[in-house]
Amino acid sequence: MVCAQPPAPKGIAASGYAATDASVALAPFDFLRRDVGPTDVQIDILFCGVCHSDIHTARNEWLGTVYPCVPGHEIVGRVSTVGNKVTRLKVGDVAAVGCMVDSCQRCPSCAEGLEQFCENGTTFTYNSPDPGTGKTTYGGYSTTVVVTEKFVVKIPAGLDPKGAAPLLCAGVTTYSPMRHWKVLKGQKVGVVGIGGLGHVAVKIARALGARPFAITTSPGKIKDAGRLGAEGAVLSSDAKAMKGHANSFDFILSTVPRAHDLNPYVALLKRDRTLVVVGALDKKASDLVAAQLIHARKSVAGSLIGGMAETQEVVDFCAKHKITADVEVIPAQKINEAYDRVVKKDVRYRFVIDMASLKK
């Protein structure tokens, strides 16, 4: 008697690192990507940045993590396959994927190129329901990824792929609010938190012609601020130093990834200026003192990554101005050590995984 064999599952074999529970280390994980469709691009991943959001999600600190979870949304690689309706990319191109892999393409936000605010639900690169497959998306801590062409960014020639990877999140997350709130040449810009996002923000602000100032809790980063392009630096725990900058900033960007008191930074703003939060997603990020806002018409706002056109724009801008992230390249096997070091602020300034290590 011969038993029929079940059909082999369809898809493209991939391997990577995944979290299987909030309390356990990430470990090797094999899975399937969807087959390449007519408008899809398959990218063999070269490098993937490690964002603090990856840690929050893997450890379920924001709640709602679906396990197994393959993090990673700062992806740079080489195109290996394209669908027959793909027009912008070809096999061999260096390309990238950021925080999103799809959106409805019908709502007002999508029509305006603001896919990150899709009113029918953005499909994020990992830990997101995928309407196309009915599964949960897996991110860039892996060997390969398949993404619809619209959500793929071209990497300009000459831009180092290792240092470019963090631009897909850290770059657009800090560039987008500076463009939206119209940071101008000569303006005094404060960057709160000089980490994975903040150090890129300083570089971008400088390239825009602004006068960036690093605002940090770390004395060691005070010394490094000038190398990054800051005109000055302020130790936020130094009350006298903070008071010396009161009512003097045209724009402040807070990149701190956890809840923190925003009031000391609001005090630094000029009248009619804005503090934008891009880092803390805690349910209760800060208790704002209304008097500070009312008496000088100051604002506190938030911003989320950027749309696809703006993501391509920031990558091109960084290529023009020779901006890349300061990175420490690691093998995938050291991802758990890297997570612990990020939490301890022991990285200058972004870990990037070399995906060739997965083949060893």
Side-chain angles (χ1 to χ4, degrees):
M1 180 177 179
V2 179
C3 296
Q5 296 294 318
K10 294 182 179 180
I12 298 168
S15 59
Y17 267 70
T20 55
D21 185 81
S23 59
V24 300
L26 275 70
F29 177 65
D30 295 326
F31 60 101
L32 293 175
R33 296 287 190 188
R34 72 169 185 260
D35 288 320
V36 176
T39 61
D40 286 338
V41 175
Q42 182 183 357
I43 299 171
D44 290 341
I45 301 173
L46 300 172
F47 300 100
C48 184
V50 178
C51 178
H52 209 130
S53 298
D54 301 347
I55 301 172
H56 288 310
T57 305
R59 296 178 176 177
N60 201 28
E61 293 172 350
W62 289 339
L63 306 179
T65 301
V66 176
Y67 296 102
C69 172
V70 178
H73 57 205
E74 298 179 343
I75 302 166
V76 172
R78 196 172 297 279
V79 175
S80 58
T81 310
V82 297
N84 58 18
K85 292 184 178 180
V86 169
T87 58
R88 289 193 306 114
L89 295 151
K90 64 183 185 302
V91 172
D93 284 349
V94 179
V97 178
C99 299
M100 304 176 287
V101 290
D102 211 348
S103 69
C104 79
Q105 300 297 296
R106 301 184 306 275
C107 70
S109 291
C110 287
E112 293 179 42
L114 299 171
E115 297 93 347
Q116 74 272 34
F117 301 127
C118 177
E119 287 139 50
N120 293 307
T122 304
T123 303
F124 292 101
T125 306
Y126 65 86
N127 198 53
S128 185
D130 185 350
T133 65
K135 300 177 181 179
T136 300
T137 55
Y138 290 147
Y141 294 8
S142 57
T143 50
T144 192
V145 65
V146 177
V147 182
T148 186
E149 180 187 24
K150 181 177 176 60
F151 287 81
V152 177
V153 171
K154 294 183 75 172
I155 297 297
L159 191 60
D160 174 37
K162 299 185 292 297
L167 302 179
L168 278 299
C169 173
V172 72
T173 296
T174 56
Y175 178 84
S176 181
M178 290 191 218
R179 299 301 284 170
H180 180 78
W181 275 274
K182 297 178 172 62
V183 167
L184 301 174
K185 184 177 181 179
Q187 288 188 328
K188 186 177 179 181
V189 171
V191 178
V192 182
I194 308 303
L197 270 68
H199 90 285
V200 174
V202 169
K203 295 182 180 188
I204 289 174
R206 183 60 178 261
L208 288 169
R211 299 167 49 221
F213 282 71
I215 305 173
T216 178
T217 59
S218 303
K221 293 179 181 178
I222 293 283
K223 298 177 182 178
D224 205 26
R227 181 187 65 81
L228 295 171
E231 180 176 315
V234 186
L235 192 63
S236 57
S237 58
D238 184 337
K240 183 178 180 181
M242 291 285 282
K243 188 174 181 179
H245 288 272
N247 305 306
S248 69
F249 281 88
D250 295 286
F251 178 82
I252 297 176
L253 186 70
S254 176
T255 68
V256 178
R258 296 188 183 275
H260 56 289
D261 186 5
L262 296 176
N263 292 291
Y265 310 112
V266 173
L268 301 179
L269 289 169
K270 292 178 179 177
R271 170 181 50 80
D272 289 325
R273 299 300 193 259
T274 302
L275 163 66
V276 178
V277 177
V278 296
L281 299 183
D282 309 69
K283 288 185 177 180
K284 187 177 181 181
S286 180
D287 288 316
L288 286 169
V289 177
Q292 281 203 113
L293 305 177
I294 292 169
H295 290 297
R297 206 158 55 192
K298 299 177 182 182
S299 300
V300 175
S303 182
L304 177 70
I305 54 173
M308 290 312 302
E310 198 166 43
T311 304
Q312 184 68 65
E313 182 180 318
V314 70
V315 169
D316 293 343
F317 175 88
C318 288
K320 178 181 178 181
H321 292 277
K322 296 180 170 43
I323 294 172
T324 53
D326 290 14
V327 301
E328 181 179 334
V329 179
I330 60 168
Q333 294 80 1
K334 290 193 174 182
I335 186 60
N336 295 295
E337 177 185 327
Y339 273 23
D340 291 340
R341 285 181 57 194
V342 169
V343 173
K344 294 174 183 176
K345 302 181 183 179
D346 179 26
V347 57
R348 296 291 186 273
Y349 282 94
R350 198 65 145 188
F351 285 115
V352 170
I353 306 169
D354 180 354
M355 285 306 165
S357 62
L358 287 173
K359 300 174 183 178
K360 296 179 180 178

